[in-house]
Amino acid sequence: MEFGRLITAMVTPFDGDGQINWTAAGEMIDYLIGEQQSDSLVVCGTTGESPTLSDDEKLALFRYAVERAAGRCRIIAGTGSNNTAHSIHLTQLAEEAGVDGILLVAPYYNKPSQEGLYQHFAAIAAATSLPVMLYNVQGRTGVNLSVETTLRLAELPNVAATKDCASLEQLTQIITGAPAGFRVYSGDDSSALPALSVGAYGVVSVASHIVGTKMKRMIEAYVGGQVAEAAELHRECYPVFSGLFNCPHPVPNPVAVKYALTLKGMSVGGVRLPLVEATESEKTFISKLV
């Protein structure tokens, strides 16, 4: 399964009552595929506020995204959790819904050992025929999926990729040791180009909601050997890469990107508690990015 190089972790649009805005969700899918040139969309990831979505909402979003995308891009379902049995159940339902792949975040809060992480991911992968992308983000989960465990999982037949937010050193070690065909994606927009330089395949992005076209050009320029052009595009996009997470101080994703999309005329609504909307000073900062 080819996920492409630019994957957007899509926001979940809400209406004024905090319910899913289906019209806006369809418009967002069209916008990300058409205007921002995403190759794949992650639905119900962190950026999609997965912790506050019910299973019924997630499954409805999976079905809707598959139908709306209509083969124009791949749909990757965020089905990971810190409960292996629940993740298996949701993954199997997502497969029935017709998604193209699965994104599995490392279990958070319960801090499993590396063997526990391996057994968790291996059990879910064994329960589906879909390609699996691992997701390592220690800042959110409290545990690092090590190089050794990632490479061990990469040997499983349908573990196809990893989205890793660890250091460039860890990415380099994974890329160096990975079997042929295993794809490494940066999970950090600011590190996308540096990650490409050591052999990463692409990026799972938040900023691509806003500067996806430039990011696609940056990736294509680098892959095509136009390194100076890629570096210039990286520098042009960098204020957005950084600003969506630090405006001017750290803000939880997707607060900033949702407000930025609103400024672009997209009806994505607010965020669900425990997240809260951007402050007036944060809004002023974000408005200078778009």
Side-chain angles (χ1 to χ4, degrees):
M1 175 63 66
E2 177 58 66
F3 293 138
R5 295 184 183 271
L6 180 63
I7 302 173
T8 298
M10 191 182 86
V11 300
T12 300
F14 296 132
D15 61 22
D17 295 321
Q19 302 304 305
I20 296 171
N21 183 332
W22 293 104
T23 299
E27 292 171 349
M28 179 59 58
I29 291 167
D30 293 344
Y31 162 80
L32 291 174
I33 297 171
E35 186 170 332
Q36 298 298 346
Q37 300 184 22
S38 299
D39 297 313
S40 292
L41 302 178
V42 171
V43 178
C44 302
T46 307
T47 309
E49 298 178 70
S50 57
T52 61
L53 295 171
S54 69
D55 281 1
D56 286 345
E57 287 176 320
K58 290 178 182 179
L59 289 168
L61 280 163
F62 298 154
R63 296 187 192 102
Y64 184 79
V66 169
E67 180 180 359
R68 185 73 177 221
R72 292 176 294 160
C73 79
R74 304 295 186 185
I75 300 299
I76 303 171
T79 60
S81 74
N82 61 349
N83 179 329
T84 306
H86 179 255
S87 297
I88 288 172
H89 176 68
L90 188 58
T91 295
Q92 291 174 331
L93 293 176
E95 183 168 5
E96 291 175 9
V99 302
D100 301 294
I102 298 297
L103 179 72
L104 298 177
V105 68
Y108 38 85
Y109 188 74
N110 38 16
K111 288 190 172 183
S113 66
Q114 291 299 313
E115 181 62 23
L117 289 169
Y118 176 82
Q119 295 294 342
H120 170 83
F121 286 118
I124 304 168
T128 180
S129 63
L130 292 174
V132 168
M133 179 184 289
L134 311 173
Y135 179 19
N136 182 39
V137 55
Q138 186 174 5
R140 285 185 176 272
T141 64
V143 64
N144 179 49
L145 183 64
S146 72
V147 172
E148 294 75 17
T149 305
T150 301
L151 294 179
R152 188 179 171 198
L153 287 163
E155 297 294 337
L156 299 176
N158 61 327
V159 176
T162 187
K163 171 190 176 184
D164 205 302
C165 300
S167 66
L168 197 61
E169 179 180 2
Q170 177 155 317
L171 286 180
T172 303
Q173 292 174 348
I174 294 170
I175 292 163
T176 300
F182 184 77
R183 300 277 170 78
V184 176
Y185 289 83
S186 171
D188 175 18
D189 286 309
S190 297
S191 300
L193 183 58
L196 289 174
S197 75
V198 297
Y201 190 75
V203 60
V204 181
S205 174
V206 175
S208 53
H209 284 89
I210 309 301
V211 289
T213 302
K214 281 188 177 181
M215 293 183 72
K216 192 67 170 291
R217 283 167 49 206
M218 178 187 77
I219 294 168
E220 290 175 347
Y222 183 82
V223 172
Q226 305 300 314
V227 177
E229 180 183 351
E232 181 178 357
L233 287 163
H234 169 81
R235 292 192 297 271
E236 289 179 13
C237 293
Y238 185 78
V240 177
F241 294 164
S242 176
L244 290 179
F245 294 88
N246 300 280
C247 57
H249 47 265
V251 294
N253 184 44
V255 171
V257 72
K258 274 197 154 182
Y259 183 67
L261 286 164
T262 299
L263 294 175
K264 289 175 67 69
M266 307 294 291
S267 300
V268 295
V271 290
R272 285 180 173 176
L273 286 171
L275 300 183
V276 294
E277 70 174 74
T279 65
E280 290 306 313
S281 63
E282 290 166 351
K283 289 177 179 179
T284 298
F285 182 90
I286 296 164
S287 69
K288 298 174 183 177
L289 300 176
V290 298

PDB file of all heavy atoms in Angstrom, residues 56-88:
ATOM      1  N   ASP A  56     -18.398   5.326  18.064  1.00  0.00           N
ATOM      2  CA  ASP A  56     -19.408   5.513  17.017  1.00  0.00           C
ATOM      3  C   ASP A  56     -19.047   6.695  16.122  1.00  0.00           C
ATOM      4  O   ASP A  56     -19.212   6.623  14.897  1.00  0.00           O
ATOM      5  CB  ASP A  56     -20.785   5.738  17.645  1.00  0.00           C
ATOM      6  CG  ASP A  56     -21.393   4.460  18.219  1.00  0.00           C
ATOM      7  OD1 ASP A  56     -20.889   3.373  17.886  1.00  0.00           O
ATOM      8  OD2 ASP A  56     -22.362   4.568  18.992  1.00  0.00           O
ATOM      9  N   GLU A  57     -18.551   7.768  16.731  1.00  0.00           N
ATOM     10  CA  GLU A  57     -18.142   8.927  15.930  1.00  0.00           C
ATOM     11  C   GLU A  57     -16.950   8.580  15.047  1.00  0.00           C
ATOM     12  O   GLU A  57     -16.894   8.970  13.871  1.00  0.00           O
ATOM     13  CB  GLU A  57     -17.791  10.100  16.840  1.00  0.00           C
ATOM     14  CG  GLU A  57     -19.001  10.758  17.495  1.00  0.00           C
ATOM     15  CD  GLU A  57     -18.609  11.839  18.464  1.00  0.00           C
ATOM     16  OE1 GLU A  57     -17.618  11.658  19.219  1.00  0.00           O
ATOM     17  OE2 GLU A  57     -19.289  12.889  18.490  1.00  0.00           O
ATOM     18  N   LYS A  58     -16.002   7.855  15.602  1.00  0.00           N
ATOM     19  CA  LYS A  58     -14.827   7.474  14.814  1.00  0.00           C
ATOM     20  C   LYS A  58     -15.220   6.615  13.617  1.00  0.00           C
ATOM     21  O   LYS A  58     -14.777   6.852  12.491  1.00  0.00           O
ATOM     22  CB  LYS A  58     -13.822   6.723  15.700  1.00  0.00           C
ATOM     23  CG  LYS A  58     -13.133   7.598  16.723  1.00  0.00           C
ATOM     24  CD  LYS A  58     -12.184   6.790  17.599  1.00  0.00           C
ATOM     25  CE  LYS A  58     -11.527   7.671  18.646  1.00  0.00           C
ATOM     26  NZ  LYS A  58     -10.617   6.924  19.540  1.00  0.00           N
ATOM     27  N   LEU A  59     -16.057   5.639  13.847  1.00  0.00           N
ATOM     28  CA  LEU A  59     -16.465   4.752  12.750  1.00  0.00           C
ATOM     29  C   LEU A  59     -17.260   5.514  11.699  1.00  0.00           C
ATOM     30  O   LEU A  59     -17.095   5.282  10.494  1.00  0.00           O
ATOM     31  CB  LEU A  59     -17.273   3.583  13.303  1.00  0.00           C
ATOM     32  CG  LEU A  59     -16.448   2.573  14.110  1.00  0.00           C
ATOM     33  CD1 LEU A  59     -17.356   1.622  14.870  1.00  0.00           C
ATOM     34  CD2 LEU A  59     -15.511   1.800  13.187  1.00  0.00           C
ATOM     35  N   ALA A  60     -18.093   6.439  12.130  1.00  0.00           N
ATOM     36  CA  ALA A  60     -18.831   7.259  11.176  1.00  0.00           C
ATOM     37  C   ALA A  60     -17.878   8.118  10.356  1.00  0.00           C
ATOM     38  O   ALA A  60     -18.065   8.294   9.141  1.00  0.00           O
ATOM     39  CB  ALA A  60     -19.849   8.132  11.909  1.00  0.00           C
ATOM     40  N   LEU A  61     -16.847   8.652  10.997  1.00  0.00           N
ATOM     41  CA  LEU A  61     -15.850   9.448  10.280  1.00  0.00           C
ATOM     42  C   LEU A  61     -15.052   8.589   9.307  1.00  0.00           C
ATOM     43  O   LEU A  61     -14.756   9.017   8.181  1.00  0.00           O
ATOM     44  CB  LEU A  61     -14.910  10.130  11.274  1.00  0.00           C
ATOM     45  CG  LEU A  61     -15.450  11.405  11.927  1.00  0.00           C
ATOM     46  CD1 LEU A  61     -14.651  11.756  13.174  1.00  0.00           C
ATOM     47  CD2 LEU A  61     -15.429  12.570  10.934  1.00  0.00           C
ATOM     48  N   PHE A  62     -14.701   7.385   9.705  1.00  0.00           N
ATOM     49  CA  PHE A  62     -13.972   6.492   8.794  1.00  0.00           C
ATOM     50  C   PHE A  62     -14.807   6.223   7.534  1.00  0.00           C
ATOM     51  O   PHE A  62     -14.316   6.340   6.400  1.00  0.00           O
ATOM     52  CB  PHE A  62     -13.641   5.162   9.475  1.00  0.00           C
ATOM     53  CG  PHE A  62     -12.738   5.260  10.675  1.00  0.00           C
ATOM     54  CD1 PHE A  62     -12.780   4.284  11.671  1.00  0.00           C
ATOM     55  CD2 PHE A  62     -11.858   6.315  10.823  1.00  0.00           C
ATOM     56  CE1 PHE A  62     -11.952   4.358  12.776  1.00  0.00           C
ATOM     57  CE2 PHE A  62     -11.020   6.405  11.938  1.00  0.00           C
ATOM     58  CZ  PHE A  62     -11.073   5.420  12.907  1.00  0.00           C
ATOM     59  N   ARG A  63     -16.064   5.863   7.736  1.00  0.00           N
ATOM     60  CA  ARG A  63     -16.933   5.558   6.593  1.00  0.00           C
ATOM     61  C   ARG A  63     -17.118   6.777   5.698  1.00  0.00           C
ATOM     62  O   ARG A  63     -17.060   6.677   4.466  1.00  0.00           O
ATOM     63  CB  ARG A  63     -18.294   5.057   7.095  1.00  0.00           C
ATOM     64  CG  ARG A  63     -18.253   3.748   7.861  1.00  0.00           C
ATOM     65  CD  ARG A  63     -19.664   3.247   8.177  1.00  0.00           C
ATOM     66  NE  ARG A  63     -19.639   2.153   9.133  1.00  0.00           N
ATOM     67  CZ  ARG A  63     -19.917   2.283  10.432  1.00  0.00           C
ATOM     68  NH1 ARG A  63     -20.264   3.475  10.913  1.00  0.00           N
ATOM     69  NH2 ARG A  63     -19.859   1.237  11.242  1.00  0.00           N
ATOM     70  N   TYR A  64     -17.341   7.916   6.330  1.00  0.00           N
ATOM     71  CA  TYR A  64     -17.584   9.138   5.566  1.00  0.00           C
ATOM     72  C   TYR A  64     -16.349   9.539   4.767  1.00  0.00           C
ATOM     73  O   TYR A  64     -16.451   9.931   3.593  1.00  0.00           O
ATOM     74  CB  TYR A  64     -17.986  10.274   6.507  1.00  0.00           C
ATOM     75  CG  TYR A  64     -18.350  11.542   5.774  1.00  0.00           C
ATOM     76  CD1 TYR A  64     -19.600  11.687   5.180  1.00  0.00           C
ATOM     77  CD2 TYR A  64     -17.447  12.584   5.666  1.00  0.00           C
ATOM     78  CE1 TYR A  64     -19.929  12.851   4.496  1.00  0.00           C
ATOM     79  CE2 TYR A  64     -17.764  13.745   4.983  1.00  0.00           C
ATOM     80  CZ  TYR A  64     -19.011  13.875   4.407  1.00  0.00           C
ATOM     81  OH  TYR A  64     -19.335  15.015   3.727  1.00  0.00           O
ATOM     82  N   ALA A  65     -15.169   9.439   5.396  1.00  0.00           N
ATOM     83  CA  ALA A  65     -13.933   9.824   4.711  1.00  0.00           C
ATOM     84  C   ALA A  65     -13.657   8.922   3.517  1.00  0.00           C
ATOM     85  O   ALA A  65     -13.246   9.389   2.448  1.00  0.00           O
ATOM     86  CB  ALA A  65     -12.767   9.790   5.689  1.00  0.00           C
ATOM     87  N   VAL A  66     -13.878   7.628   3.680  1.00  0.00           N
ATOM     88  CA  VAL A  66     -13.685   6.688   2.577  1.00  0.00           C
ATOM     89  C   VAL A  66     -14.611   7.037   1.415  1.00  0.00           C
ATOM     90  O   VAL A  66     -14.198   7.089   0.251  1.00  0.00           O
ATOM     91  CB  VAL A  66     -13.917   5.238   3.051  1.00  0.00           C
ATOM     92  CG1 VAL A  66     -13.991   4.288   1.859  1.00  0.00           C
ATOM     93  CG2 VAL A  66     -12.817   4.811   4.010  1.00  0.00           C
ATOM     94  N   GLU A  67     -15.865   7.293   1.738  1.00  0.00           N
ATOM     95  CA  GLU A  67     -16.844   7.617   0.698  1.00  0.00           C
ATOM     96  C   GLU A  67     -16.511   8.938   0.014  1.00  0.00           C
ATOM     97  O   GLU A  67     -16.561   9.042  -1.211  1.00  0.00           O
ATOM     98  CB  GLU A  67     -18.237   7.679   1.314  1.00  0.00           C
ATOM     99  CG  GLU A  67     -19.342   8.002   0.308  1.00  0.00           C
ATOM    100  CD  GLU A  67     -20.718   8.062   0.942  1.00  0.00           C
ATOM    101  OE1 GLU A  67     -20.827   7.831   2.166  1.00  0.00           O
ATOM    102  OE2 GLU A  67     -21.690   8.368   0.221  1.00  0.00           O
ATOM    103  N   ARG A  68     -16.154   9.955   0.814  1.00  0.00           N
ATOM    104  CA  ARG A  68     -15.901  11.285   0.240  1.00  0.00           C
ATOM    105  C   ARG A  68     -14.609  11.305  -0.569  1.00  0.00           C
ATOM    106  O   ARG A  68     -14.545  11.923  -1.638  1.00  0.00           O
ATOM    107  CB  ARG A  68     -15.828  12.322   1.368  1.00  0.00           C
ATOM    108  CG  ARG A  68     -15.697  13.761   0.888  1.00  0.00           C
ATOM    109  CD  ARG A  68     -17.013  14.254   0.306  1.00  0.00           C
ATOM    110  NE  ARG A  68     -16.956  15.644  -0.097  1.00  0.00           N
ATOM    111  CZ  ARG A  68     -17.939  16.518   0.105  1.00  0.00           C
ATOM    112  NH1 ARG A  68     -19.059  16.126   0.721  1.00  0.00           N
ATOM    113  NH2 ARG A  68     -17.831  17.762  -0.302  1.00  0.00           N
ATOM    114  N   ALA A  69     -13.576  10.647  -0.067  1.00  0.00           N
ATOM    115  CA  ALA A  69     -12.306  10.628  -0.802  1.00  0.00           C
ATOM    116  C   ALA A  69     -12.449   9.894  -2.120  1.00  0.00           C
ATOM    117  O   ALA A  69     -11.817  10.264  -3.118  1.00  0.00           O
ATOM    118  CB  ALA A  69     -11.219   9.974   0.051  1.00  0.00           C
ATOM    119  N   ALA A  70     -13.262   8.862  -2.141  1.00  0.00           N
ATOM    120  CA  ALA A  70     -13.593   8.135  -3.388  1.00  0.00           C
ATOM    121  C   ALA A  70     -12.349   7.763  -4.184  1.00  0.00           C
ATOM    122  O   ALA A  70     -12.309   7.905  -5.401  1.00  0.00           O
ATOM    123  CB  ALA A  70     -14.546   8.977  -4.241  1.00  0.00           C
ATOM    124  N   GLY A  71     -11.325   7.298  -3.464  1.00  0.00           N
ATOM    125  CA  GLY A  71     -10.120   6.839  -4.135  1.00  0.00           C
ATOM    126  C   GLY A  71      -9.136   7.917  -4.519  1.00  0.00           C
ATOM    127  O   GLY A  71      -8.067   7.612  -5.072  1.00  0.00           O
ATOM    128  N   ARG A  72      -9.449   9.179  -4.228  1.00  0.00           N
ATOM    129  CA  ARG A  72      -8.531  10.262  -4.594  1.00  0.00           C
ATOM    130  C   ARG A  72      -7.306  10.304  -3.694  1.00  0.00           C
ATOM    131  O   ARG A  72      -6.276  10.879  -4.066  1.00  0.00           O
ATOM    132  CB  ARG A  72      -9.256  11.609  -4.541  1.00  0.00           C
ATOM    133  CG  ARG A  72     -10.327  11.793  -5.616  1.00  0.00           C
ATOM    134  CD  ARG A  72     -11.055  13.112  -5.420  1.00  0.00           C
ATOM    135  NE  ARG A  72     -11.834  13.118  -4.176  1.00  0.00           N
ATOM    136  CZ  ARG A  72     -12.245  14.228  -3.556  1.00  0.00           C
ATOM    137  NH1 ARG A  72     -11.909  15.423  -4.039  1.00  0.00           N
ATOM    138  NH2 ARG A  72     -12.982  14.150  -2.462  1.00  0.00           N
ATOM    139  N   CYS A  73      -7.414   9.766  -2.498  1.00  0.00           N
ATOM    140  CA  CYS A  73      -6.274   9.629  -1.597  1.00  0.00           C
ATOM    141  C   CYS A  73      -6.550   8.455  -0.674  1.00  0.00           C
ATOM    142  O   CYS A  73      -7.652   7.896  -0.675  1.00  0.00           O
ATOM    143  CB  CYS A  73      -6.030  10.920  -0.803  1.00  0.00           C
ATOM    144  SG  CYS A  73      -7.139  11.150   0.612  1.00  0.00           S
ATOM    145  N   ARG A  74      -5.547   8.078   0.086  1.00  0.00           N
ATOM    146  CA  ARG A  74      -5.709   6.986   1.040  1.00  0.00           C
ATOM    147  C   ARG A  74      -6.252   7.514   2.364  1.00  0.00           C
ATOM    148  O   ARG A  74      -5.920   8.620   2.786  1.00  0.00           O
ATOM    149  CB  ARG A  74      -4.376   6.286   1.285  1.00  0.00           C
ATOM    150  CG  ARG A  74      -3.703   5.768   0.018  1.00  0.00           C
ATOM    151  CD  ARG A  74      -4.508   4.686  -0.648  1.00  0.00           C
ATOM    152  NE  ARG A  74      -3.806   4.092  -1.779  1.00  0.00           N
ATOM    153  CZ  ARG A  74      -4.315   3.194  -2.606  1.00  0.00           C
ATOM    154  NH1 ARG A  74      -5.570   2.779  -2.417  1.00  0.00           N
ATOM    155  NH2 ARG A  74      -3.619   2.700  -3.592  1.00  0.00           N
ATOM    156  N   ILE A  75      -7.068   6.714   3.020  1.00  0.00           N
ATOM    157  CA  ILE A  75      -7.606   7.061   4.331  1.00  0.00           C
ATOM    158  C   ILE A  75      -6.976   6.132   5.373  1.00  0.00           C
ATOM    159  O   ILE A  75      -7.116   4.911   5.294  1.00  0.00           O
ATOM    160  CB  ILE A  75      -9.140   6.945   4.373  1.00  0.00           C
ATOM    161  CG1 ILE A  75      -9.783   7.877   3.340  1.00  0.00           C
ATOM    162  CG2 ILE A  75      -9.651   7.242   5.781  1.00  0.00           C
ATOM    163  CD1 ILE A  75      -9.487   9.349   3.530  1.00  0.00           C
ATOM    164  N   ILE A  76      -6.281   6.747   6.327  1.00  0.00           N
ATOM    165  CA  ILE A  76      -5.619   6.012   7.404  1.00  0.00           C
ATOM    166  C   ILE A  76      -6.390   6.278   8.692  1.00  0.00           C
ATOM    167  O   ILE A  76      -6.563   7.428   9.098  1.00  0.00           O
ATOM    168  CB  ILE A  76      -4.156   6.468   7.556  1.00  0.00           C
ATOM    169  CG1 ILE A  76      -3.397   6.294   6.224  1.00  0.00           C
ATOM    170  CG2 ILE A  76      -3.469   5.681   8.671  1.00  0.00           C
ATOM    171  CD1 ILE A  76      -2.015   6.932   6.231  1.00  0.00           C
ATOM    172  N   ALA A  77      -6.850   5.227   9.323  1.00  0.00           N
ATOM    173  CA  ALA A  77      -7.688   5.361  10.519  1.00  0.00           C
ATOM    174  C   ALA A  77      -6.849   5.300  11.781  1.00  0.00           C
ATOM    175  O   ALA A  77      -6.060   4.367  11.966  1.00  0.00           O
ATOM    176  CB  ALA A  77      -8.735   4.244  10.547  1.00  0.00           C
ATOM    177  N   GLY A  78      -7.024   6.291  12.651  1.00  0.00           N
ATOM    178  CA  GLY A  78      -6.385   6.255  13.957  1.00  0.00           C
ATOM    179  C   GLY A  78      -7.184   5.373  14.900  1.00  0.00           C
ATOM    180  O   GLY A  78      -8.263   5.759  15.357  1.00  0.00           O
ATOM    181  N   THR A  79      -6.680   4.197  15.179  1.00  0.00           N
ATOM    182  CA  THR A  79      -7.410   3.235  16.012  1.00  0.00           C
ATOM    183  C   THR A  79      -6.623   2.815  17.247  1.00  0.00           C
ATOM    184  O   THR A  79      -7.058   1.928  17.978  1.00  0.00           O
ATOM    185  CB  THR A  79      -7.779   1.971  15.211  1.00  0.00           C
ATOM    186  OG1 THR A  79      -6.577   1.351  14.742  1.00  0.00           O
ATOM    187  CG2 THR A  79      -8.675   2.313  14.027  1.00  0.00           C
ATOM    188  N   GLY A  80      -5.476   3.426  17.469  1.00  0.00           N
ATOM    189  CA  GLY A  80      -4.648   3.036  18.603  1.00  0.00           C
ATOM    190  C   GLY A  80      -5.166   3.589  19.914  1.00  0.00           C
ATOM    191  O   GLY A  80      -5.830   4.626  19.963  1.00  0.00           O
ATOM    192  N   SER A  81      -4.842   2.898  20.989  1.00  0.00           N
ATOM    193  CA  SER A  81      -5.181   3.350  22.346  1.00  0.00           C
ATOM    194  C   SER A  81      -4.235   2.648  23.309  1.00  0.00           C
ATOM    195  O   SER A  81      -3.317   1.926  22.890  1.00  0.00           O
ATOM    196  CB  SER A  81      -6.632   3.023  22.689  1.00  0.00           C
ATOM    197  OG  SER A  81      -6.790   1.630  22.951  1.00  0.00           O
ATOM    198  N   ASN A  82      -4.461   2.832  24.601  1.00  0.00           N
ATOM    199  CA  ASN A  82      -3.646   2.116  25.593  1.00  0.00           C
ATOM    200  C   ASN A  82      -4.327   0.848  26.084  1.00  0.00           C
ATOM    201  O   ASN A  82      -3.953   0.290  27.108  1.00  0.00           O
ATOM    202  CB  ASN A  82      -3.300   3.035  26.767  1.00  0.00           C
ATOM    203  CG  ASN A  82      -4.528   3.542  27.509  1.00  0.00           C
ATOM    204  OD1 ASN A  82      -5.650   3.380  27.052  1.00  0.00           O
ATOM    205  ND2 ASN A  82      -4.321   4.174  28.656  1.00  0.00           N
ATOM    206  N   ASN A  83      -5.310   0.390  25.336  1.00  0.00           N
ATOM    207  CA  ASN A  83      -6.038  -0.847  25.638  1.00  0.00           C
ATOM    208  C   ASN A  83      -5.963  -1.730  24.397  1.00  0.00           C
ATOM    209  O   ASN A  83      -6.601  -1.453  23.389  1.00  0.00           O
ATOM    210  CB  ASN A  83      -7.486  -0.499  25.996  1.00  0.00           C
ATOM    211  CG  ASN A  83      -8.338  -1.718  26.297  1.00  0.00           C
ATOM    212  OD1 ASN A  83      -8.129  -2.798  25.751  1.00  0.00           O
ATOM    213  ND2 ASN A  83      -9.328  -1.546  27.162  1.00  0.00           N
ATOM    214  N   THR A  84      -5.160  -2.771  24.463  1.00  0.00           N
ATOM    215  CA  THR A  84      -4.898  -3.587  23.273  1.00  0.00           C
ATOM    216  C   THR A  84      -6.175  -4.208  22.720  1.00  0.00           C
ATOM    217  O   THR A  84      -6.419  -4.163  21.506  1.00  0.00           O
ATOM    218  CB  THR A  84      -3.878  -4.692  23.604  1.00  0.00           C
ATOM    219  OG1 THR A  84      -2.716  -4.095  24.181  1.00  0.00           O
ATOM    220  CG2 THR A  84      -3.483  -5.448  22.343  1.00  0.00           C
ATOM    221  N   ALA A  85      -6.994  -4.772  23.580  1.00  0.00           N
ATOM    222  CA  ALA A  85      -8.227  -5.424  23.119  1.00  0.00           C
ATOM    223  C   ALA A  85      -9.143  -4.410  22.432  1.00  0.00           C
ATOM    224  O   ALA A  85      -9.757  -4.713  21.399  1.00  0.00           O
ATOM    225  CB  ALA A  85      -8.938  -6.091  24.291  1.00  0.00           C
ATOM    226  N   HIS A  86      -9.257  -3.223  23.014  1.00  0.00           N
ATOM    227  CA  HIS A  86     -10.105  -2.201  22.402  1.00  0.00           C
ATOM    228  C   HIS A  86      -9.538  -1.762  21.060  1.00  0.00           C
ATOM    229  O   HIS A  86     -10.289  -1.542  20.100  1.00  0.00           O
ATOM    230  CB  HIS A  86     -10.243  -1.004  23.341  1.00  0.00           C
ATOM    231  CG  HIS A  86     -11.078   0.098  22.772  1.00  0.00           C
ATOM    232  ND1 HIS A  86     -10.540   1.260  22.292  1.00  0.00           N
ATOM    233  CD2 HIS A  86     -12.427   0.200  22.570  1.00  0.00           C
ATOM    234  CE1 HIS A  86     -11.504   2.040  21.840  1.00  0.00           C
ATOM    235  NE2 HIS A  86     -12.655   1.412  21.990  1.00  0.00           N
ATOM    236  N   SER A  87      -8.223  -1.619  20.970  1.00  0.00           N
ATOM    237  CA  SER A  87      -7.601  -1.229  19.707  1.00  0.00           C
ATOM    238  C   SER A  87      -7.828  -2.277  18.618  1.00  0.00           C
ATOM    239  O   SER A  87      -8.064  -1.939  17.459  1.00  0.00           O
ATOM    240  CB  SER A  87      -6.095  -1.001  19.904  1.00  0.00           C
ATOM    241  OG  SER A  87      -5.854   0.056  20.800  1.00  0.00           O
ATOM    242  N   ILE A  88      -7.761  -3.542  18.992  1.00  0.00           N
ATOM    243  CA  ILE A  88      -8.035  -4.615  18.034  1.00  0.00           C
ATOM    244  C   ILE A  88      -9.475  -4.511  17.532  1.00  0.00           C
ATOM    245  O   ILE A  88      -9.730  -4.578  16.315  1.00  0.00           O
ATOM    246  CB  ILE A  88      -7.787  -5.996  18.683  1.00  0.00           C
ATOM    247  CG1 ILE A  88      -6.285  -6.227  18.879  1.00  0.00           C
ATOM    248  CG2 ILE A  88      -8.396  -7.113  17.827  1.00  0.00           C
ATOM    249  CD1 ILE A  88      -5.960  -7.473  19.685  1.00  0.00           C
TER     250      ILE A  88
END
